[in-house]
Amino acid sequence: MRVAVFSTKPHDRRYLERANEDGGHRLSFLEPRLTAETASLAKGADAVCVFVNDTVSEEVVERLGSQGVRLLALRSAGFNHVDLVAAEAAGIAVGRVPAYSPHAVAEHAVALILTLNRKTHRAYNRVREGNFVLDGLLGFDLNGKTVGIVGTGLIGEVVARIMTGFGCRVVAHDPAPNPTCEALGVHYLSVEQLLSQSDVISLHCPLTPATHQLIDGPALARMKRGAMLINTSRGEVIDTRAVIRGLKDGTIGSLGLDVYEEETDLFFEDLSNRIIPDDVFARLLTFPNVLITGHQAFFTEEALAAIAETTIANVTAFERDGRPLHEVNTQAARPAE
């Protein structure tokens, strides 16, 4: 099949070409993000391959459908950026990568926890400048602390295992408790109970109507004062403005983000020579107890290889059977009652 790959970075090309080494598909690599303005670049393609910050709105889907595109192959597990209703109406199948390396994201979340706690990012900069003062670098033992995990799928399960290894008391919230986590000694609580008891809160839930801005003003009011908040799931799971207020009044002791609700025009690009126009994001950067990475939690060799292999497998399955291996449609995406 002819596949137009949008938002291509060097690593995308390298791993997709490796996964397609038998030459089964013709891959065209395009640097621009998919938008209504760039959709015409997919002309002549049977499938379009997109990443998390590509726009797959109704307008984009209609333009792709009119050009003969029959498959949307997502290089991601999340699909909230895709108008599934429009895709179904246009007769375009959608395939995703449901799992790649849960260890990649889980380990990055733990890296954020450790860095924020022991201020290693600040210590690194101080030492390079010849400043060996310890003031402002005080941390705490993770051993014995309560870590709350919201969402105990594959990633949350790995985080639970790691934090249990640190000697933490691990509590969790998930509509469907994970038996493996329960076997580790994880206690399942309501969101309210988890927020009030946790010294560290790590978010690993999908973006759904129920989790949209799950961490908002009222949720912050229930948090243990000075708790650490980590988000490596989806930016929209937290209300960023409310979180800023929580940082200002001390409700949040430290904040680690790998995602941001308005990240589309920021992440994956070099903006070092430009002024960032997003005032909310710029405000976050002013806090010494905030650590932000640019959506890199997935970025390991193992994860990239798995994403590429599953993406190519979806395209191959669609060519052979008319359906991607890991199909997403409006029925499958509908939340359980």
Side-chain angles (χ1 to χ4, degrees):
M1 291 184 71
R2 295 165 296 179
V3 184
V5 184
F6 282 84
S7 295
T8 298
K9 301 296 182 188
H11 58 268
D12 294 308
R13 182 167 193 145
R14 183 165 65 253
Y15 284 92
L16 285 169
E17 285 182 339
R18 185 183 301 173
N20 188 48
E21 62 183 352
D22 63 354
H25 306 290
R26 291 168 52 191
L27 308 179
S28 298
F29 295 99
L30 307 168
E31 290 187 12
R33 288 193 296 111
L34 176 60
T35 65
E37 289 71 34
T38 63
S40 60
L41 296 175
K43 187 175 181 180
D46 304 301
V48 164
C49 182
V50 300
F51 196 47
V52 292
N53 284 344
D54 288 304
T55 302
V56 197
S57 61
E58 180 180 9
E59 181 183 6
V60 170
V61 168
E62 289 176 352
R63 293 193 181 193
L64 294 177
S66 69
Q67 295 171 187
V69 172
R70 297 178 289 132
L71 171 68
L72 280 170
L74 313 183
R75 304 195 302 278
S76 62
F79 48 85
N80 54 283
H81 57 305
V82 180
D83 190 324
L84 295 175
V85 174
E88 196 169 280
I92 299 177
V94 181
R96 68 177 182 129
V97 181
Y100 34 95
S101 172
H103 298 278
V105 180
E107 290 170 9
H108 190 79
V110 175
L112 292 176
I113 293 170
L114 293 171
T115 302
L116 281 167
N117 177 26
R118 301 307 299 268
K119 286 96 174 162
T120 48
H121 56 311
R122 299 181 66 189
Y124 171 80
N125 288 326
R126 283 190 188 184
V127 170
R128 286 177 64 87
E129 295 173 356
N131 180 355
F132 303 98
V133 172
L134 297 182
D135 291 348
L137 302 181
L138 188 65
F140 56 82
D141 288 357
L142 280 168
N143 182 64
K145 297 299 186 295
T146 298
V147 175
I149 301 173
V150 180
T152 53
L154 294 175
I155 297 170
E157 177 187 316
V158 175
V159 174
R161 187 178 299 117
I162 294 171
M163 301 316 294
T164 299
F166 273 111
C168 298
R169 170 182 177 251
V170 180
V171 297
H173 174 79
D174 195 302
N178 184 330
T180 301
C181 290
E182 291 178 317
L184 289 170
V186 175
H187 297 282
Y188 279 85
L189 306 173
S190 67
V191 173
E192 294 76 14
Q193 291 172 319
L194 181 148
L195 293 174
S196 66
Q197 295 183 26
S198 299
D199 301 292
V200 177
I201 299 163
S202 194
L203 307 176
H204 301 284
C205 50
L207 180 62
T208 67
T211 63
H212 181 259
Q213 295 197 345
L214 178 71
I215 306 300
D216 56 9
L220 291 172
R222 300 186 187 100
M223 278 177 55
K224 192 172 185 179
R225 186 168 181 80
M228 179 187 296
L229 177 63
I230 304 292
N231 187 14
T232 56
S233 57
R234 289 291 181 270
E236 295 92 332
V237 171
I238 71 172
D239 178 345
T240 309
R241 287 175 173 79
V243 164
I244 288 174
R245 291 192 294 271
L247 286 163
K248 291 170 66 177
D249 66 19
T251 299
I252 298 175
S254 54
L255 173 70
L257 302 177
D258 186 57
V259 289
Y260 172 61
E261 58 184 328
E262 301 294 338
E263 70 179 57
T264 302
D265 294 325
L266 297 175
F267 290 0
F268 309 119
E269 304 299 334
D270 182 0
L271 306 179
S272 58
N273 291 320
R274 306 183 199 175
I275 295 173
I276 294 178
D278 188 325
D279 291 340
V280 175
F281 187 80
R283 183 71 179 96
L284 282 173
L285 295 178
T286 67
F287 291 95
N289 54 343
V290 171
L291 177 60
I292 302 175
T293 53
H295 207 136
Q296 72 176 78
F298 76 100
F299 202 60
T300 67
E301 294 179 5
E302 293 81 0
L304 290 178
I307 289 169
E309 289 164 6
T310 303
T311 299
I312 295 299
N314 274 329
V315 176
T316 299
F318 180 82
E319 183 179 41
R320 182 185 63 238
D321 306 321
R323 295 179 62 181
L325 194 63
H326 302 286
E327 187 173 21
V328 183
N329 53 44
T330 53
Q331 185 172 356
R334 189 175 297 119
E337 298 296 336

